[in-house]
Amino acid sequence: MIKLQDALRHAAERPDHVALVDGGRRITWSELADEIAKVAGGLAAVLPGGRPARAAFLCCNGWELVVTMAAFETLGVSITGLDFEATPEATAEALEQLRPTVVVSSKLHRPLLIASGWADREGVLQVHLHGVGEELAAPEPIVPDPQAGEPVHYSTLAAAQTAVTAPISQPYEHFAVSYDAAGSPRLVIRRRSFEARRLAELVDEFAFDEDDTYLVTVPMYHASGPGWARVFFALGGTVVLGPYHDLAEMCRLITDEGVTTTLMVPPVLSRLLAHPASAELRRTSRLRFLLTGGQHLNRWIVNEAWDRFGPVLHHYYGSTETGLVTLLGPDELALSPCRSGRAMPGIGIAVLDAEHRPLPPGVRGRVAVASYQLMDAYGDAPAPSVLVDLSDGQGPRPFLLTGDDGVIDYEGRLELTGRTSGAVRARADGDRDSAFFGLETELLDQPAVRDLAVLRVTVPDHGPVLAVPFVPVARDLEASAYRAVSAVCARRVPWISAHVIAVDAIPYSPTGTIRTGELLTEIMPLVNLYIHLDKQSATEIPA
Amino acid sequence: MTTPVPPHTSDDELDEADLGTRLLSLERALTELPAARQTALLIGELPDYGDVLLVAFVPADAEREESTQRAARAACARLVPALPALVIPVDDIPYTLDGELRGQQLFDEMLPQIARDLLLPKEMSA
């Protein structure tokens, strides 16, 4: 994130300049440096000994997490984010591979930590951050040797009296977790830092400076989250922590905070561009660099981004394993296939055949990358690299084999054509979905039913239910249609509670698809009411 | 520049690598649809039907939903003729916070419409 030494430098140059914005909290460089120093001091006093320190975190973005990450970096301890949407099994596997000595978590995601079996691991320090809506606990004095399993709260660390500015003595190692297509975690290890060189390359290319304001829209566990925030922290700029889902708030932040740069994954960017609040951004925002990357970028996003923001959209290709590989600016992006890019300075790209020989332009193959940002190993296994001679005078050099396919065009751009893992597969859930599959057809055969839809909905605090809105053929047949539909549901799908509701019409899109959102908006209040009444009658009528 | 697509001969000769290439070409064609806010391509395994190509798209507006569906259907028929294809407009496509497609969730949400599209014409014509 940022080391204390850099924060102190910015605090000396512009103490009152805002460094970090999180909701209503605005932290100046002076305050940020002070907070990092205290938390680093607090952490240094309680780090478990015995083996090199390494930390993991499981929490949403927040100013406390930023300070904690900066404190760990100041101490020279790698801190690795874990996907809080992963399964407990995947989380446990990631933690087993990482073997952290410190686990940082917030209340919201602690159940996942507990389910993974790492909430009270012996010899592992637990640090609790305050999540949204949690009361700040009164700080307690630092205990030099906390009881095993006893958590240390952020407020306790921040109350440390001894500030620390120097790293602890241990070899440099940086860990990150990447997840494959099946959701299985892999530990990515780097043994040298590339940040200084990458910062120089980016500043040289895009003229980022201390007046830039960067909006964070991705979780910090994603490599790009802290990676890009670090660039603007290092320059002494301002970093704004944005919400993940609240697009109106995101638009407000872009305007009110004077955001100049941001990174958004294509799905978030797509939703932002479709949101009415983004219509005015071209007139009201200072946005000059909008970065996106990944396979879901499409032509609509490229065109709409130009309309709404002007020529600011840049497309990147990179991964946790490779770092930043290619970038394509707005002008070229408007005329190129959506997944194209040009190699960043200092990066080599090759498209290889099955025998790892370079393929000529125009021929599709596996993408391989030579870069100063490459990882060194996957856990105990070396990085999957091969020696390739591109006949460019540099001789054979190691290229990391990626999981992506691509083609280099005749103008030197790399176009990604997909993943080697292939298309996403999904399957019906055996017998249950088989029964469900024919349900709608049978329901529509009921003589008193004119039209009908079957919707599977997950209700918070209740679980999955079936919502079955139907249109009776006549008002006086509504009761018999209701009975018939309820009986078919009870017979065909007895394991899921079905809520049958009469409606005036089933809304359809122009192509004849049910407008699910519109229909759910109409019927969900009734479904929720029925669930509530069911629960109430179950409580009132003893068995 | 277009990604080369191998010539299609018959279903029996369609091997996995060939199918993979065709699916990637289809995915690329879908990203270039001008009136689809988002698209997602799945292979769904359905009871009694086997593998079915499923294209979900979020229409940019209602007026262009039909033309987008036609364009996507045409791309499916041209690039992956070996698999039956369903092109379904959806309100939203679920992704993780870091932008990965939630394929199974999307499939589960589409299942009622898939059942409708696959079963109803057959049942009605029987």
Side-chain angles (χ1 to χ4, degrees):
Chain A
M1 190 57 68
I2 185 172
K3 288 181 180 171
L4 178 61
Q5 293 86 333
D6 294 323
L8 287 170
R9 183 163 49 81
H10 299 315
E13 288 169 1
R14 37 179 21 198
D16 297 326
H17 186 79
V18 174
L20 181 63
V21 179
D22 178 16
R25 182 144 190 157
R26 307 174 74 79
I27 301 173
T28 64
W29 273 111
S30 165
E31 292 165 337
L32 184 64
D34 188 45
E35 193 79 4
I36 295 170
K38 286 191 289 188
V39 173
L43 279 171
V46 293
L47 278 179
R51 62 189 176 95
R54 53 178 78 163
F57 69 83
L58 201 57
C59 42
C60 295
N61 294 355
W63 67 270
E64 287 183 351
L65 176 61
V66 171
V67 172
T68 306
M69 292 174 78
F72 275 112
E73 280 198 30
T74 301
L75 295 173
V77 175
S78 173
I79 177 163
T80 308
L82 302 177
D83 181 355
F84 48 71
E85 293 184 305
T87 61
E89 294 76 23
T91 305
E93 200 182 330
L95 286 162
E96 289 297 342
Q97 290 181 32
L98 181 61
R99 293 178 56 245
T101 57
V102 184
V103 176
V104 180
S105 64
S106 63
K107 188 176 178 182
L108 185 63
H109 302 299
R110 212 156 292 135
L112 178 58
L113 191 62
I114 292 166
S116 72
W118 275 79
D120 51 2
R121 210 38 93 90
E122 194 177 339
V124 176
L125 174 69
Q126 301 289 333
V127 174
H128 287 187
L129 302 188
H130 304 99
V132 177
E134 288 181 53
E135 292 293 323
L136 283 173
E140 294 165 10
I142 289 284
V143 184
D145 185 17
Q147 298 283 319
E150 194 174 311
V152 176
H153 293 270
Y154 177 88
S155 53
T156 308
L157 297 175
Q161 299 300 313
T162 315
V164 167
T165 55
I168 58 175
S169 176
Q170 65 179 41
Y172 177 87
E173 276 188 314
H174 180 272
F175 304 94
V177 176
S178 76
Y179 294 83
D180 64 17
S184 300
R186 290 179 298 189
L187 191 63
V188 174
I189 303 175
R190 285 184 173 84
R191 299 199 172 90
R192 61 197 184 287
S193 173
F194 61 80
E195 298 298 341
R197 181 171 171 188
R198 193 178 76 152
L199 177 67
E201 304 277 11
L202 290 171
V203 170
D204 189 42
E205 184 88 9
F206 300 106
F208 296 137
D209 62 25
E210 70 274 17
D211 291 325
D212 273 315
T213 299
Y214 177 73
L215 175 68
V216 180
T217 68
V218 293
M220 288 291 181
Y221 69 72
H222 193 264
S224 64
W228 281 88
R230 185 179 290 123
V231 168
F232 298 95
F233 273 138
L235 293 169
T238 303
V239 171
V240 179
L241 301 180
Y244 306 130
H245 300 296
D246 188 345
L247 299 164
E249 174 64 4
M250 212 180 269
C251 292
R252 189 195 67 76
L253 286 172
I254 289 173
T255 301
D256 292 357
E257 298 295 340
V259 170
T260 56
T261 56
T262 187
L263 179 150
M264 290 181 193
V265 292
V268 171
L269 179 56
S270 169
R271 285 176 194 139
L272 183 82
L273 292 168
H275 197 281
S278 69
E280 291 296 305
L281 285 180
R282 179 164 194 172
R283 197 173 52 79
T284 58
S285 86
R286 293 173 59 214
L287 206 57
R288 69 179 180 95
F289 182 87
L290 169 57
L291 189 63
T292 193
Q295 57 170 327
H296 304 298
L297 184 69
N298 63 19
R299 185 57 54 197
W300 183 84
I301 295 177
V302 173
N303 293 345
E304 202 69 13
W306 188 294
D307 284 350
R308 295 217 164 185
F309 301 130
V312 300
L313 185 65
H314 294 67
H315 178 247
Y316 82 94
Y317 163 58
S319 66
T320 308
E321 289 85 346
T322 60
L324 188 61
V325 178
T326 69
L327 259 173
L328 201 65
D331 297 331
E332 214 171 352
L333 190 55
L335 302 168
S336 311
C338 289
R339 299 178 196 165
S340 307
R342 286 191 184 281
M344 289 288 291
I347 312 284
I349 302 172
V351 170
L352 307 178
D353 66 11
E355 279 76 45
H356 303 146
R357 290 174 304 214
L359 288 165
V363 181
R364 189 181 143 225
R366 190 166 178 187
V367 177
V369 177
S371 165
Y372 60 91
Q373 301 176 29
L374 293 185
M375 70 169 189
D376 291 302
Y378 269 135
D380 295 331
S385 60
V386 292
L387 278 177
V388 178
D389 188 353
L390 291 182
S391 308
D392 55 0
Q394 296 193 44
R397 47 189 173 140
F399 278 72
L400 184 84
L401 289 169
T402 71
D404 297 310
D405 281 359
V407 58
I408 293 177
D409 69 15
Y410 294 96
E411 293 176 38
R413 289 175 302 216
L414 172 71
E415 183 196 348
L416 294 175
T417 55
R419 301 155 306 243
T420 50
S421 54
V424 176
R425 279 190 171 267
R427 61 189 304 271
D429 183 18
D431 295 340
R432 292 197 166 195
D433 276 342
S434 290
F436 177 77
F437 211 58
L439 172 65
E440 191 163 337
T441 330
E442 186 173 343
L443 289 173
L444 281 164
D445 277 344
Q446 301 305 308
V449 173
R450 173 177 294 159
D451 199 1
L452 168 143
V454 177
L455 307 170
R456 286 203 294 196
V457 194
T458 301
V459 177
D461 302 328
H462 186 79
V465 298
L466 215 57
V468 188
F470 73 98
V471 183
V473 291
R475 189 53 63 195
D476 56 344
L477 289 176
E478 181 179 318
S480 58
Y482 174 87
R483 282 196 300 275
V485 171
S486 300
V488 173
C489 290
R491 179 167 50 78
R492 284 195 74 117
V493 285
W495 55 83
I496 186 166
S497 62
H499 298 279
V500 180
I501 294 164
V503 293
D504 291 333
I506 303 289
Y508 288 94
S509 77
T511 57
T513 305
I514 294 169
R515 289 193 190 277
T516 314
E518 198 176 312
L519 194 52
L520 284 174
T521 307
E522 184 183 344
I523 64 171
M524 278 316 285
L526 276 173
V527 171
N528 285 325
L529 178 66
Y530 290 161
I531 290 170
H532 177 71
L533 291 175
D534 283 350
K535 279 183 182 167
Q536 206 171 36
S537 60
T539 318
E540 285 170 0
I541 304 168
Chain B
M1 186 178 60
T2 56
T3 311
V5 179
H8 179 60
T9 48
S10 74
D11 292 358
D12 296 338
E13 295 173 23
L14 193 68
D15 62 18
E16 276 296 312
D18 184 14
L19 179 63
T21 306
R22 289 174 173 280
L23 289 171
L24 295 173
S25 302
L26 175 59
E27 221 170 31
R28 181 176 187 266
L30 295 173
T31 62
E32 295 293 335
L33 291 173
R37 262 178 49 202
Q38 296 167 20
T39 55
L41 176 64
L42 296 176
I43 297 180
E45 295 172 37
L46 297 174
D48 303 330
Y49 281 84
D51 285 354
V52 175
L53 207 56
L54 301 169
V55 175
F57 71 99
V58 182
D61 51 57
E63 288 74 33
R64 287 182 288 175
E65 179 180 315
E66 203 172 342
S67 60
T68 302
Q69 191 186 50
R70 275 204 309 272
R73 275 186 183 146
C76 292
R78 182 168 50 85
L79 297 168
V80 194
L83 289 180
L86 290 176
V87 179
I88 297 174
V90 294
D91 293 332
D92 201 10
I93 292 175
Y95 295 97
T96 62
L97 288 175
D98 53 354
E100 290 297 318
L101 176 69
R102 292 180 189 276
Q104 188 63 46
Q105 185 185 335
L106 176 63
F107 178 78
D108 291 344
E109 287 171 10
M110 287 164 71
L111 202 55
Q113 189 64 42
I114 294 168
R116 227 169 218 264
D117 288 357
L118 277 180
L119 294 181
L120 284 185
K122 191 178 71 176
E123 300 277 327
M124 286 165 73
S125 62

